[in-house]
Amino acid sequence: MLLIRRFEERSLRAYQAKKIGGFLHLYNGQEAVAVGCCSLLGDNDHVITAYRDHGHAIAMGMDIKALMAELYGKATGCSKGKGGSMHFFDPARNFWGGHGIVGGQVPLGAGIAYALKYRGIAGACLAFMGDGAVNQGSVHETYNLAALWQLPVVFVIENNGYSMGTSQARSSAGELSKRAEGYDMDWGICGGHDIYEVRACMAKFVAQARDRSKPAIVEIDTYRYRGHSVADPDNTYRTKAEVEEYRRSKDPIQVFRNALLAEGVLDEIGATAIDAAVRAEAEAAAEFAEASPFPAVADITKDVYWEEDNPSEKQSRGRIFFG
Amino acid sequence: MPLLSYREAIRHALAEELQRDPNVVVMGEEVGQFNGAYKVTEGLLEKFGPKRIVDTPISEAGFVGLGIGASMLGIRPVIELMFWSFYAVAFDQILNNAANIRYMSGGQIHCPLVIRGPGNGGTNVGATHSHTPEAICASHPGVKVVCPATAYDAKGLLKSAIRDNDPVLFMENTLLYGEKWEVPTEEYLIPLGLADVKRPGTDLTIIAHGRAVVSSLAAAHTLEQDHGISAEVVDLRSIRPLDEETVLASVRKTHRVLLVEEGKPFCGVGAQLAFMIQEAAFDDLDAPIRRINSIDAPAIYSPPLEAQQLPDAGKIIQAAIELLR
Ligand SMILES: Cc1ncc(C[n+]2csc(CCOP(=O)(O)OP(=O)(O)O)c2C)c(N)n1
Ligand SMILES: [Mg+2]
């Protein structure tokens, strides 16, 4: 969680220094959701999420050097500088993105679950989405398919209260996870500020999906500290006091830290050392990104087609790129 | 004449049409309380109230389809897509319903709606958010497609689009929103399907739409100053209807054609133009038609590389010089 926080703080500074282009959607405040959920996963479990993907990528074990380099648009980035902040991928770590179109990843999550079931692999797929995504048609179609075919997928709604500047009350009729009832699916709801609570709630649904191929929808209530993206001035739809109140009483890192200190698992010296190590790691990632080369112009047309990148396997004829 | 930004010009067009016709409704994500993701609709909620300025959930297929349905019963929805890229989620509604219903009903029903928003690359938001759908959309009879390059055009064309009785897909550009141009205070309309010679010239014709017009004008300026080449810049303004007359008149005058387009080359707007020009004015051409598009791949994120993927003044200048050799 701390690595996610420090990584993002460092990336924010890089963004402000104009080292990063486009959008930067920060996950600050939501860390316990990704970390709590992903900490329950085994080798055959998979994750897919939306564009607010830094936390999930790190929780799935991606190297923050490659992530920072991606933000900088460098050839050493996890997507070779082609995807950017919203499009992190690492299939080797069962992390399937990073998707920019709201709701677009949700059918893919069910598809991954379908492949697991088809291939007889005992695994589950967690398909994360925001509270704004639940109103996309593709999400509802996918709920039905997952329930109809009993796919090993857990739909995780990260409810941070807002989709851009629209509060949940202004965007959604009814309760979000309860929509599962219409599809005869299990559902749950829990707080997302306490990693123990996230794990306790999710453990059952992940196990059900993995062991009995039972889908479910789980809503995890959380909060984002920053605007929708760094470009959002965040001054029209919520109060500063609301943000501060959450930070003060429910910051997921603080809550976890306090729990560990109280349990005696960690002392102040240890906590400080972890923080220092993580800050240094984030700094090193920025240095790595800074020192890395940009892709070449010729790279623009690479990674478009399998056959073009693997000419020895080429079977089709004709011209494929046009100028 | 006062200077107005492209963003303000669109806002003024919306406000004037909202004022003029009580059936005009503006609808989309964040258009009201948030004042628009790109602040195009800023202040409209305050002025016209929530019945006319409607915030929607993130349900493009739903609210675009709903807009089409409402237009069938006399409403004139102006639907904002936060990015044109999100049209894909509502593609079925646009192409199967908006474009086809008039035809399939034997002309009994018509769909007077506008779908508008920015459709461009160049802002480093990656492949999912950088689509330029004008060519794909314009290949469907039943819809009109408009791509204004200046504030003046954006305002006059949007007002016509809102009054049009067929679905109009209106494609703006986030990189132009802050650019200012002269816009008269008195009301004016620009008919759809009328191209505009933005700069007269004699040596070659550059045909463009949207932001490519701005790059073409910059290139034409340099061509004149540094190379003694006189380039005529024709701004299509609308892709469908397409002003063949203005295009062909320019071709007959300069005999050389350079097509500039931000979209991808394959089946792009340029392909249609090149066909049309060779069919109607083959004997007038002194050289093969050339074109500049974005490099043929999904939009790359990496900021310096995306800049190289897109057409720019430098590429236009080089191609123009080669064309005249
Ligand atoms: C289909 C589509 N429509 C609109 C957008 C623009 N957009 C990006 S994020 C967002 C809000 C999503 O909110 P939510 O699902 O709650 O996720 P959060 O940002 O809170 O993580 C919107 C409207 C988009 N990317 N894709
Ligand atoms: Mg949200």
Side-chain angles (χ1 to χ4, degrees), chain A:
Chain A
M1 285 200 274
L2 203 53
L3 183 61
I4 297 170
R5 179 73 56 92
R6 299 295 175 236
F7 170 83
E8 292 206 300
E9 287 168 354
R10 187 65 190 82
S11 71
L12 175 59
R13 275 191 282 139
Y15 188 88
Q16 286 159 345
K18 306 228 176 321
K19 301 282 183 189
I20 297 172
F23 293 142
L24 190 69
H25 305 93
L26 299 181
Y27 197 60
N28 291 185
Q30 303 187 205
E31 293 91 343
V33 181
V35 175
C37 291
C38 297
S39 67
L40 293 164
L41 303 183
D43 289 348
N44 292 328
D45 299 320
H46 298 255
V47 162
I48 192 163
T49 188
Y51 47 85
R52 198 179 297 285
D53 59 350
H54 306 167
H56 309 79
I58 295 173
M60 290 302 280
M62 285 180 75
D63 176 4
I64 67 164
K65 283 197 168 89
L67 301 183
M68 193 68 89
E70 186 62 30
L71 297 180
Y72 276 62
K74 298 297 181 78
T76 52
C78 56
S79 300
K80 303 182 197 160
K82 293 184 166 174
S85 162
M86 302 193 285
H87 310 116
F88 287 171
F89 294 90
D90 191 351
R93 288 189 177 76
N94 295 359
F95 180 66
W96 298 95
H99 294 266
I101 298 298
V102 168
Q105 77 281 9
V106 177
L108 303 186
I112 291 165
Y114 180 91
L116 288 170
K117 187 168 181 174
Y118 184 92
R119 295 174 61 184
I121 298 168
C125 182
L126 303 190
F128 289 88
M129 71 189 100
D131 50 292
V134 301
N135 299 314
Q136 278 291 17
S138 62
V139 172
H140 288 265
E141 295 179 23
T142 305
Y143 285 171
N144 182 54
L145 290 169
L148 188 67
W149 294 341
Q150 289 292 290
L151 301 177
V153 57
V154 183
F155 302 103
V156 183
I157 302 166
E158 292 193 61
N159 186 354
N160 59 12
Y162 298 91
S163 49
M164 280 188 80
T166 305
S167 64
Q168 184 194 334
R170 294 177 61 237
S171 64
S172 291
E175 281 179 56
L176 306 188
S177 47
K178 203 175 165 191
R179 292 178 180 183
E181 288 182 2
Y183 300 99
D184 256 342
M185 248 190 296
D186 283 355
W187 60 280
I189 183 164
C190 72
H193 64 288
D194 178 352
I195 191 166
Y196 295 109
E197 189 180 339
V198 172
R199 282 174 54 90
C201 172
M202 283 295 293
K204 169 180 135 199
F205 295 106
V206 173
Q208 278 189 175
R210 193 193 284 135
D211 304 335
R212 291 191 285 129
S213 200
K214 244 174 123 18
I217 304 177
V218 183
E219 172 186 340
I220 305 185
D221 294 328
T222 180
Y223 201 77
R224 67 166 153 77
Y225 295 162
R226 292 273 164 185
H228 169 69
S229 75
V230 176
D232 168 17
D234 191 7
N235 55 13
T236 50
Y237 55 91
R238 62 180 187 179
T239 61
K240 289 275 167 288
E242 184 184 296
V243 184
E244 282 319 309
E245 174 55 25
Y246 197 94
R247 252 186 209 278
R248 198 187 51 73
S249 60
K250 289 189 165 171
D251 181 71
I253 295 176
Q254 210 54 47
V255 167
F256 188 38
R257 190 176 188 272
N258 291 346
L260 293 178
L261 291 173
E263 288 162 9
V265 180
L266 191 68
D267 58 18
E268 286 290 348
I269 296 170
T272 311
I274 291 173
D275 196 24
V278 160
R279 277 178 199 277
E281 202 179 332
E283 196 51 46
E287 279 162 24
F288 171 79
E290 186 75 48
S292 293
F294 283 111
V297 174
D299 292 330
I300 293 176
T301 47
K302 289 188 185 139
D303 305 309
V304 182
Y305 293 100
W306 172 276
E307 283 188 346
E308 295 303 305
D309 301 331
N310 299 279
S312 64
E313 295 175 40
K314 189 162 171 142
Q315 294 189 328
S316 49
R317 309 282 186 90
R319 180 173 169 193
I320 202 132
F321 288 110
F322 296 83

Side-chain angles (χ1 to χ4, degrees), chain A residues 19-23 70-74 80-87 99-102 132-133 135-137 163-166 170-172 232-234 236-237 294-301 304 320-323, chain B residues 29-30 32-39 45 55-62 82-83 85-86 89 123-129 131 265-266 291-306 308-309:
Chain A
K19 301 282 183 189
I20 297 172
F23 293 142
E70 186 62 30
L71 297 180
Y72 276 62
K74 298 297 181 78
K80 303 182 197 160
K82 293 184 166 174
S85 162
M86 302 193 285
H87 310 116
H99 294 266
I101 298 298
V102 168
N135 299 314
Q136 278 291 17
S163 49
M164 280 188 80
T166 305
R170 294 177 61 237
S171 64
S172 291
D232 168 17
D234 191 7
T236 50
Y237 55 91
F294 283 111
V297 174
D299 292 330
I300 293 176
T301 47
V304 182
I320 202 132
F321 288 110
F322 296 83
Chain B
E29 291 156 16
E30 309 292 353
Q33 189 178 305
F34 194 71
N35 279 321
Y38 286 97
K39 305 297 167 225
L45 174 64
D55 278 321
T56 65
I58 311 169
S59 306
E60 286 85 358
M82 192 179 288
F83 283 77
S85 284
F86 310 151
V89 176
T123 59
N124 319 135
V125 289
T128 55
H129 283 57
H131 293 287
F266 195 79
R291 65 174 178 177
I292 298 173
N293 293 75
S294 288
I295 294 177
D296 194 16
I300 193 166
Y301 156 68
S302 186
L305 274 294
E306 195 194 10
Q308 300 192 60
Q309 185 170 15

Side-chain angles (χ1 to χ4, degrees), chain B residues 18-298:
Chain B
L18 281 157
Q19 195 73 54
R20 177 180 171 272
D21 181 349
N23 282 320
V24 172
V25 172
V26 168
M27 189 180 275
E29 291 156 16
E30 309 292 353
V31 295
Q33 189 178 305
F34 194 71
N35 279 321
Y38 286 97
K39 305 297 167 225
V40 170
T41 53
E42 187 159 29
L44 295 183
L45 174 64
E46 206 183 322
K47 183 145 188 235
F48 294 99
K51 185 175 174 193
R52 313 286 306 283
I53 312 296
V54 184
D55 278 321
T56 65
I58 311 169
S59 306
E60 286 85 358
F63 66 77
V64 168
L66 181 148
I68 298 166
S71 78
M72 290 158 45
L73 207 66
I75 307 300
R76 288 186 175 264
V78 182
I79 297 192
E80 175 171 307
L81 290 175
M82 192 179 288
F83 283 77
W84 255 101
S85 284
F86 310 151
Y87 82 120
V89 176
F91 209 32
D92 175 56
Q93 293 301 325
I94 297 172
L95 300 172
N96 273 321
N97 290 339
N100 288 351
I101 280 181
R102 178 170 165 75
Y103 190 74
M104 295 188 303
S105 69
Q108 298 179 83
I109 302 171
H110 64 111
C111 300
L113 91 153
V114 175
I115 305 176
R116 53 153 291 273
N120 59 282
T123 59
N124 319 135
V125 289
T128 55
H129 283 57
S130 305
H131 293 287
T132 45
E134 59 268 31
I136 291 180
C137 288
S139 71
H140 292 82
V143 296
K144 297 182 176 177
V145 178
V146 178
C147 301
T150 69
Y152 175 83
D153 291 340
K155 183 173 177 196
L157 290 165
L158 182 55
K159 285 170 66 80
S160 296
I162 294 172
R163 297 184 197 186
D164 200 282
N165 282 328
D166 288 313
V168 180
L169 313 181
F170 195 88
M171 299 176 187
E172 304 158 11
N173 191 307
T174 49
L175 293 170
L176 295 178
Y177 279 144
E179 299 288 315
K180 295 195 167 177
W181 281 274
E182 288 189 337
V183 177
T185 29
E186 50 294 352
E187 182 173 52
Y188 64 95
L189 292 158
I190 300 173
L192 309 187
L194 184 64
D196 183 36
V197 178
K198 284 265 183 321
R199 179 187 173 107
T202 51
D203 295 335
L204 83 153
T205 296
I206 302 177
I207 306 172
H209 62 272
R211 193 169 75 97
V213 172
V214 178
S215 323
S216 298
L217 287 170
H221 180 76
T222 308
L223 284 166
E224 180 101 72
Q225 299 284 308
D226 299 356
H227 305 278
I229 294 172
S230 164
E232 175 147 305
V233 178
V234 177
D235 175 3
L236 295 175
R237 298 202 289 203
S238 115
I239 309 300
R240 189 178 188 131
L242 183 67
D243 183 354
E244 296 192 337
E245 221 173 281
T246 301
V247 168
L248 292 173
S250 180
V251 174
R252 294 196 173 108
K253 178 171 138 192
T254 68
H255 311 293
R256 286 184 163 80
V257 179
L258 172 60
L259 308 172
V260 185
E261 175 184 5
E262 183 178 321
K264 302 288 154 46
F266 195 79
C267 300
V269 173
Q272 175 63 25
L273 286 170
F275 172 78
M276 185 265 282
I277 293 167
Q278 67 78 34
E279 185 185 47
F282 186 76
D283 292 335
D284 286 293
L285 288 173
D286 284 349
I289 296 169
R290 290 192 58 137
R291 65 174 178 177
I292 298 173
N293 293 75
S294 288
I295 294 177
D296 194 16

